[in-house]
Amino acid sequence: MKIDIQEHKGIKVFALSGEIDMSSSPVLRSELMGLVSRKVPVVFVDFKDVSYIDSSGIATFVEGLKAMMPYGGRLKLLGVPAKIMEIFNFSKLDKVFEIYGNVEDAFKG
Amino acid sequence: MKIDIQEHKGIKVFALSGEIDMSSSPVLRSELMGLVSRKVPVVFVDFKDVSYIDSSGIATFVEGLKAMMPYGGRLKLLGVPAKIMEIFNFSKLDKVFEIYGNVEDAFKG
Amino acid sequence: MRLPKDSAVITIPSQPKYLCVVREAAARMADMGGFDASAVEDIRLAVDEACSNVIKYAYGGDGGKRITVRFRNTVAGFEALIEDSGPRTDPACLKGRDLDEVRPGGLGIHFIRRTFDVVAFDERKRNGNRLRLLKYRDRGHEDRHTGT
Amino acid sequence: MRLPKDSAVITIPSQPKYLCVVREAAARMADMGGFDASAVEDIRLAVDEACSNVIKYAYGGDGGKRITVRFRNTVAGFEALIEDSGPRTDPACLKGRDLDEVRPGGLGIHFIRRTFDVVAFDERKRNGNRLRLLKYRDRGHEDRHTGT
Ligand SMILES: Nc1ncnc2c1ncn2[C@@H]1O[C@H](COP(=O)(O)OP(=O)(O)O)[C@@H](O)[C@H]1O
Ligand SMILES: Nc1ncnc2c1ncn2[C@@H]1O[C@H](COP(=O)(O)OP(=O)(O)O)[C@@H](O)[C@H]1O
């Protein structure tokens, strides 16, 4: 997994690529929780180049989302590949996360 | 490996994809030698979507080329990815095969 | 355990960084067994989750142990046997969370059961655990993709 | 052979269709060992060639045997041990063709030697063969990519 932290019109974008698994999700977790602890109001996560995610990766985003709720922060997922979307659907997390097609949709949404 | 046999302006094009190894090269060999036995004058092989080739795959093309020589047939390789080109160079086969960038170049060449 | 014909076996240290080797092998074996791309990805994930759980629960995070996975394509389907040398697991413990109760964790078992038709510990194993995962093959594939 | 710490081991039937499992594992292990993308591909190819040769020469095409490959990243570099149960191989036989003499075949050994710094049979193995392939690590990578 690679995390490329970008900015889009002032919003932090986590552009992820490769495989998110039990070995890489701790790295993702510490980056994400770093932003959350600073109460960053909006975080975008770009899944476009993610080839694989396991339950530890999903858990990381659930944890991030829960930690953002108390201060009204928003976590928006975008560019989620079909096979990964299927996992969110199956886990009933498609209704829990804000999921957008691309960065523009996420910006408007 | 997948072999998609196409035609470009009357020329047979082998569009290969995936991995060519000891398990798939016999399939490639029988397809290629099928054309050669019918003395097909020109054969293009498109490597664009080949992700891997081993020595058995290379041997198949050397065999095809040698079988075409007696009747003046031409075997043209195109779209060879950099990493595979490196293998042809190392094996001194870049000088033995006619190698082109794309189907248009191969057609003109 | 004797090695059945036409099976591949992988042993890795009980560390997360090696999981990619096992799940990739699972995917290759499932592909070889004639499963479609979507089923191959489901199998990749489910095998990974089962091995992750061995690291977390059977070994309590100890990276100095081993996990052995045996893959096989049979007439019935795709089989993965996941072996560890940890304390005996109570099968009743393998419970995912209620999917309506949103919290981190508790999804791995769901991913395993979603993909595999059989998820069961081999009672005959004396030391450690052997989890048997079996995914049945579609009837239509049987002739094309089995055996040598 | 005892399993050294931090090594992964794969056993496959001696059939070409299983080679993809081994070479993919080789690539994953080399990547994990910190080798760059180009070196990873070289290692994938070289390990595949060595296993292909076991099927062709050590086993004479018999698909009913086994090949075991042990992968390890050490301070020195990436190591693959390739084991078969065939008749003892005379190391002098491992000769590729003259690259100026164009004919099918005779490239596999060149691909192996191009990538690996050490290509040697383990003389201590009693039955069958154990080919040791070792690729040294660039000095600069040593600290970052070794051990657990
Ligand atoms: N190999 C195992 N050995 C012992 N307990 C296990 C094993 N696998 C799973 N479990 C139990 O099943 C529960 C659910 O597992 P899982 O769905 O993977 O979620 P998570 O690991 O995120 O809690 C775990 O919390 C654990 O108690
Ligand atoms: N594992 C092996 N056991 C015995 N002989 C081998 C083995 N590997 C290679 N050889 C010998 O080395 C020669 C060159 O091998 P290689 O370069 O792979 O080319 P090819 O297999 O196409 O002939 C082979 O022809 C064979 O005689």
Side-chain angles (χ1 to χ4, degrees), chain A residues 27-47:
Chain A
V27 180
L28 175 64
R29 182 179 184 282
S30 84
E31 289 292 335
L32 188 62
M33 297 318 260
L35 291 193
V36 170
S37 67
R38 286 187 283 129
K39 298 205 173 17
V40 170
V42 189
V43 178
F44 287 4
V45 183
D46 191 345
F47 275 77

Side-chain angles (χ1 to χ4, degrees), chain C residues 49 53-54 56-58 89 93-96 105-110:
Chain C
E49 296 289 348
N53 281 348
V54 168
K56 287 194 287 182
Y57 305 112
T89 300
C93 290
L94 268 63
K95 273 228 177 79
L107 291 175
I109 291 292
H110 286 293

Side-chain angles (χ1 to χ4, degrees), chain B residues 55, chain D residues 49-50 53-54 56-58 84 89 93-97 105-110 121:
Chain B
S55 69
Chain D
E49 297 289 347
N53 282 347
V54 168
K56 287 194 288 183
Y57 305 112
D84 65 62
T89 300
C93 290
L94 268 62
K95 274 228 177 76
R97 69 164 160 85
L107 291 176
I109 291 292
H110 286 294
F121 286 99

Side-chain angles (χ1 to χ4, degrees), chain D residues 15 25 51 58 73 79 96-97 146:
Chain D
Q15 296 166 28
C51 294
N73 285 298
E79 183 188 69
R97 69 164 160 85
T146 52

Side-chain angles (χ1 to χ4, degrees), chain C residues 123-136:
Chain C
E123 295 301 323
R124 293 164 309 177
K125 184 145 166 52
R126 303 259 187 86
N127 299 302
N129 302 284
R130 178 184 296 129
L131 183 64
R132 179 166 179 252
L133 305 176
L134 173 60
K135 182 175 175 61
Y136 294 125

